[in-house]
Amino acid sequence: MSDYRLWLAALPEPLAEADARVYWNLKDPTPALTEALAGAAYFYVGSWQEAHVSEHPRSGRSPAVRLFDWLFLRGTIDRYQAPMLDPRLRDELSALYRPRPDDLPSESVAAHELESFLAGHMSWCLLPEETPPLQ
């Protein structure tokens, strides 16, 4: 059984739509995308397995998978982008991160740690990453 890990990559500058399209379509990264991810601030959120996944966005059975799904949806609907962290997105992510009665056991950081990271990166753009870059 595979474990998936979620790191949030906070980018201080928005991505061009062409670079965001490459990112979300899992294509070979462009130089601008590689540079943006190398300069991002990273925060480990948690992990999940296939059993945690749902066909419906925001319905995953783990806080980390719900955040991943929501960022994917926000990054690909209407136009390709790295969603900008504003009060609305912060509140959406915080609400999705709250435990639910039907959640399966999974690794997750404390909610206050996530909220602190989000508060410190307002107006930055967020992308979900499986691993942070090698330092």
Side-chain angles (χ1 to χ4, degrees), residues 9 15 109 115:
L15 277 182
V109 299
E115 290 166 3

Side-chain angles (χ1 to χ4, degrees), residues 11-95:
L11 313 174
E13 300 293 327
L15 277 182
E17 187 171 347
D19 294 312
R21 179 183 305 275
V22 165
Y23 178 85
W24 292 114
N25 286 307
L26 303 175
K27 303 291 184 190
D28 288 333
T30 65
L33 180 55
T34 299
E35 183 179 334
L37 289 170
Y42 285 85
F43 177 76
Y44 180 70
V45 176
S47 66
W48 70 88
Q49 297 176 334
E50 288 295 325
H52 294 96
V53 177
S54 170
E55 292 295 317
H56 306 284
R58 302 188 300 181
S59 298
R61 298 179 69 192
S62 158
V65 77
R66 287 192 293 272
L67 262 59
F68 174 86
D69 287 348
W70 191 238
L71 286 172
F72 180 85
L73 190 67
R74 294 280 305 264
T76 59
I77 299 298
D78 296 331
R79 66 181 181 89
Y80 287 94
Q81 63 178 316
M84 183 175 289
L85 183 57
D86 59 13
R88 179 179 174 193
L89 181 57
R90 178 202 58 213
D91 293 348
E92 290 169 348
L93 295 175
S94 294

